[in-house]
Amino acid sequence: MDKKTEKWIINKLRTAGCVFAEDEAQLLISEAQTLDTLIGMVERRATGLPLEHVVGWADFCGMRIKVEQGVFVPRRRTEFLVQQTASLATPGSVIVDLCCGTGAVGVALAKIVGYIELYATDIDPASVRCAHYNTTFIGGNVYEGDLYHPLPSALHNRVDILVANAPYVPTESIKLLPQEARKYEIRAALDGGEKGLDIQRRVAAEAPLWLAPGGHLLVETSQKQALQTAEIFAENGLIPKVVNCVELDATVVIGTQTNRMNMN
């Protein structure tokens, strides 16, 4: 790649508002097989398409995660959700990843923990395709459907860990999100209802039916919403705990099932 073309790419990206234009230019150059492909990628990025959608993958927990256009891009802050979940898991744990998106959380957990019995669900067909691809090498079971609905009933009271990066942005706040999210990611992966708690309520309400005695539910949320999320967990019989990571600007609420078996 000659310097003139590289400079054109950097200027094009910088003019489009890309803060890390130099880094992005190097990535696009390394990913493109031909000059025509490269120019097309630069043009798509300059329109505002997320970089991950342009190159077809996202960096998450040091891994390349396949991401199709329109699919929610795994955020770095969600690595804290992975860390918290991994600290509670052991090899062989039965883990269910709700609202799995690309399946990034489950794949990262398998990398850290070792073998896990993974089940993942998402309502978006494109996300499910990505999750199937990303979890293939770890033997993940991926289902298309709404939250728990597509899961096999044999998992009732068998799940060691439920993990959910469920949408938690209040509906009215969607318009305040960066254009990359607002315009190019599926709304169902962002919109958490009027107060951003609707999906969390549904996840927590049914969790006791699926969790094994002593099992855990972990959800990512905002620091502002964390206490309300914790209250929702408590209302559904889970013992809540809120944990934060300043570095990643991340908040996770952990709910622990009592040792009593739920027979409903």
Side-chain angles (χ1 to χ4, degrees):
M1 177 62 58
D2 63 81
K3 291 295 183 181
K4 185 177 179 180
T5 303
E6 183 178 344
K7 185 176 180 181
W8 172 81
I9 294 170
I10 293 171
N11 288 338
K12 180 87 171 178
L13 296 176
R14 187 176 290 132
T15 301
C18 300
V19 178
F20 302 105
E22 291 84 357
D23 292 341
E24 292 195 14
Q26 291 303 317
L27 177 59
L28 293 174
I29 291 168
S30 68
E31 289 292 309
Q33 300 296 313
T34 67
L35 181 58
D36 285 345
T37 300
L38 175 60
I39 291 173
M41 294 171 76
V42 173
E43 293 291 351
R44 289 195 297 277
R45 178 63 181 130
T47 66
L49 189 68
L51 180 65
E52 293 83 0
H53 288 165
V54 174
V55 298
W57 58 272
D59 182 357
F60 185 75
C61 291
M63 300 176 299
R64 285 194 176 195
I65 301 295
K66 176 181 172 65
V67 182
E68 288 187 16
Q69 289 192 28
V71 172
F72 181 81
V73 176
R75 310 304 204 249
R76 185 160 179 260
R77 71 165 58 92
T78 303
E79 294 183 4
F80 183 61
L81 177 64
V82 170
Q83 294 164 12
Q84 292 301 309
T85 305
S87 71
L88 297 170
T90 57
S93 287
V94 177
I95 298 178
V96 170
D97 180 10
L98 301 173
C99 306
C100 71
T102 60
V105 169
V107 175
L109 287 171
K111 176 184 177 184
I112 297 170
V113 179
Y115 169 72
I116 56 174
E117 189 177 330
L118 176 68
Y119 301 83
T121 71
D122 201 283
I123 200 168
D124 174 49
S127 297
V128 170
R129 283 196 302 272
C130 290
H132 269 298
Y133 179 90
N134 289 321
T135 63
T136 295
F137 79 97
I138 62 169
N141 305 279
V142 183
Y143 305 90
E144 181 182 335
D146 187 24
L147 298 180
Y148 301 95
H149 181 72
L151 291 172
S153 59
L155 288 176
H156 285 175
N157 297 124
R158 269 199 64 222
V159 178
D160 298 305
I161 297 175
L162 284 167
V163 58
N165 185 14
Y168 56 88
V169 180
T171 302
E172 282 301 307
S173 297
I174 297 288
K175 61 189 177 186
L176 304 177
L177 292 174
Q179 176 181 282
E180 291 184 357
R182 188 178 68 251
K183 187 175 179 181
Y184 295 104
E185 292 180 326
I186 182 172
R187 188 181 179 97
L190 305 169
D191 193 341
E194 183 182 359
K195 295 184 178 180
L197 301 169
D198 287 5
I199 311 303
Q200 293 181 6
R201 287 186 191 281
R202 294 178 55 212
V203 168
E206 205 170 330
L209 175 65
W210 298 87
L211 285 174
H216 307 281
L217 166 64
L218 298 92
V219 301
E220 178 177 303
T221 191
S222 70
Q223 191 169 2
K224 183 178 179 181
Q225 295 163 308
L227 291 181
Q228 291 172 288
T229 302
E231 289 174 2
I232 292 169
F233 279 29
E235 289 167 3
N236 288 281
L238 301 172
I239 302 168
K241 181 175 74 169
V242 178
V243 289
N244 298 287
C245 176
V246 175
E247 179 188 356
L248 294 176
D249 187 26
T251 300
V252 170
V253 179
I254 304 170
T256 302
Q257 172 90 305
T258 64
N259 289 324
R260 179 180 57 84
M261 179 73 80
N262 187 299
M263 302 303 293
N264 293 333

